[in-house]
């Protein structure tokens, strides 16, 4: 398995509110995209990645733990959420902070993915498959048949229906993917997917094939070339 990752502030933002946690020893990968003023977004995303990672590693190593991997990932989301809510109570500047989180674990040629928010996981082979469905108002309106994609006002694609630390009702979503040798999994923040279409991402990934370091650099470069409006983060895992 080959792994590469990169996070970049982009061309327009002052700070980077994305956080990554890459744990190759446990085949465990986390990506979070925070929101909130006064560096609160940075605090939220960093806490989410750190707290969820710590919980998952502890659960995986506990002999008497009977939870399935899915349950563990889901619980980790709530643990991170609670920690962020508690932290926000300690500082007025942190009030209302929130974050997305997407977690990927690979075990025996199976990927288990859990997410909240609009940071995405893709499976890239001959074609590109978006595994996670964004938790945004835009996506919800289309799914419920209330509007067509064309009718959704642009800002609704960026309004989250749930976020760690900021939602009262959290519904982490789980996905399972069977992997084959040569498959590529990509975790990314919306700073990548707002700048590049799925086909463009796939083209870059296929161009560099198994040179994962080159691929992540090329992805970030391409998003910046298109304007880099937001922080850009990618984790690439080639099986
Ligand atoms: Ca973002």
């Amino acid at each position: 398995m080959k792994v590469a990752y990169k996070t970049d502030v982009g061309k327009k933002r002052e700070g980077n509110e994305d956080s990554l946690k890459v744990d190759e020893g446990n085949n465990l990968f986390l990506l979070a995209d925070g929101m909130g003023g006064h560096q609160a977004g940075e605090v939220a995303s960093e806490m989410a990645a750190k707290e969820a990672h710590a919980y998952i590693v502890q659960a995986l190593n506990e002999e008497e733990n009977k939870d399935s991997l899915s349950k563990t990932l889901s619980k980790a989301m709530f643990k991170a959420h609670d920690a962020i809510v508690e932290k926000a109570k300690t500082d007025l500047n942190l009030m209302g902070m929130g974050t997305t989180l997407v977690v990927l674990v690979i075990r025996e040629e199976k990927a288990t993915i859990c997410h909240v928010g609009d940071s995405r996981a893709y499976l890239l082979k001959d074609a590109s498959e978006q595994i996670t469905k964004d938790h945004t108002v835009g996506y919800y309106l289309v799914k419920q048949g209330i509007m067509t994609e064309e009718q959704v006002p642009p800002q609704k694609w960026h309004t989250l229906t749930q976020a760690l630390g900021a939602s009262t009702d959290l519904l982490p979503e789980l996905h399972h993917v069977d992997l084959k040798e040569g498959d590529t999994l990509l975790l990314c923040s919306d700073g990548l997917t707002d700048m590049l279409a799925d086909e463009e991402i796939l083209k870059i990934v296929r161009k560099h094939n198994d040179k994962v370091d080159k691929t992540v650099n090329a992805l970030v470069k391409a998003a910046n070339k298109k304007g880099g409006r937001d922080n850009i983060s990618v984790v690439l895992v080639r099986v």
Side-chain angles (χ1 to χ4, degrees):
M1 217 158 72
K2 288 180 178 169
V3 179
Y5 54 95
K6 194 175 175 81
T7 182
D8 187 87
V9 70
K11 295 281 188 200
K12 306 282 180 199
R13 298 288 177 96
E14 299 249 305
N16 190 345
E17 297 187 316
D18 292 352
S19 293
L20 305 177
K21 184 95 190 145
V22 171
D23 179 350
E24 291 188 57
N26 285 303
N27 287 336
L28 170 57
F29 312 93
L30 305 96
L31 185 151
D33 176 355
M35 63 213 79
H38 303 280
Q39 274 100 50
E42 287 171 50
V43 175
S45 68
E46 200 189 325
M47 278 191 80
K50 220 166 106 183
E51 296 284 336
H53 173 260
Y55 179 80
I56 295 163
V57 169
Q58 193 195 2
L60 293 178
N61 291 319
E62 256 173 30
E63 271 176 30
E64 60 271 36
N65 190 336
K66 299 273 190 296
D67 285 344
S68 65
L69 185 54
S70 299
K71 186 101 187 266
T72 298
L73 297 195
S74 198
K75 274 188 178 175
M77 291 277 174
F78 285 96
K79 291 278 176 195
H81 169 77
D82 291 345
I84 295 165
V85 169
E86 284 310 308
K87 178 81 179 171
K89 286 178 188 164
T90 65
D91 184 342
L92 274 180
N93 287 324
L94 301 179
M95 231 172 79
M97 67 177 171
T99 184
T100 71
L101 180 62
V102 55
V103 183
L104 160 68
V105 185
I106 298 175
R107 286 279 177 284
E108 292 157 8
E109 298 181 356
K110 277 187 202 310
T112 305
I113 292 146
C114 189
H115 89 290
V116 162
D118 65 352
S119 298
R120 294 180 181 170
Y122 284 90
L123 175 63
L124 304 163
K125 3 198 321 154
D126 293 333
S128 159
E129 184 195 333
Q130 187 182 329
I131 299 163
T132 55
K133 304 289 173 256
D134 297 351
H135 296 140
T136 62
V137 174
Y139 196 87
Y140 173 83
L141 291 170
V142 172
K143 198 175 86 179
Q144 297 293 317
I146 299 164
M147 285 185 187
T148 64
E149 260 180 49
E150 294 70 35
Q151 288 170 328
V152 174
Q155 76 275 15
K156 300 284 184 212
W157 294 113
H158 292 97
T159 311
L160 298 184
T161 50
Q162 54 172 323
L164 299 186
S167 301
T168 42
D169 292 312
L170 272 190
L171 273 174
E173 225 176 294
L174 281 155
H175 306 269
H176 305 275
V177 180
D178 289 325
L179 300 171
K180 287 206 186 75
E181 205 182 312
D183 286 353
T184 301
L185 287 153
L186 170 71
L187 306 182
C188 59
S189 61
D190 63 347
L192 183 80
T193 47
D194 282 349
M195 294 293 110
L196 302 177
D198 289 1
E199 302 74 56
E200 293 174 289
I201 293 170
L202 182 66
K203 208 173 144 191
I204 292 168
V205 171
R206 289 178 60 99
K207 182 181 167 193
H208 297 287
N209 208 4
D210 59 354
K211 295 183 193 73
V212 288
D213 287 314
K214 275 194 174 162
T215 310
V216 295
N217 285 328
L219 287 169
V220 169
K221 202 172 157 192
N224 273 326
K225 214 172 153 192
K226 288 266 184 102
R229 280 202 303 268
D230 196 359
N231 310 137
I232 306 151
S233 298
V234 290
V235 179
L236 199 80
V237 182
R238 188 164 165 103
V239 184

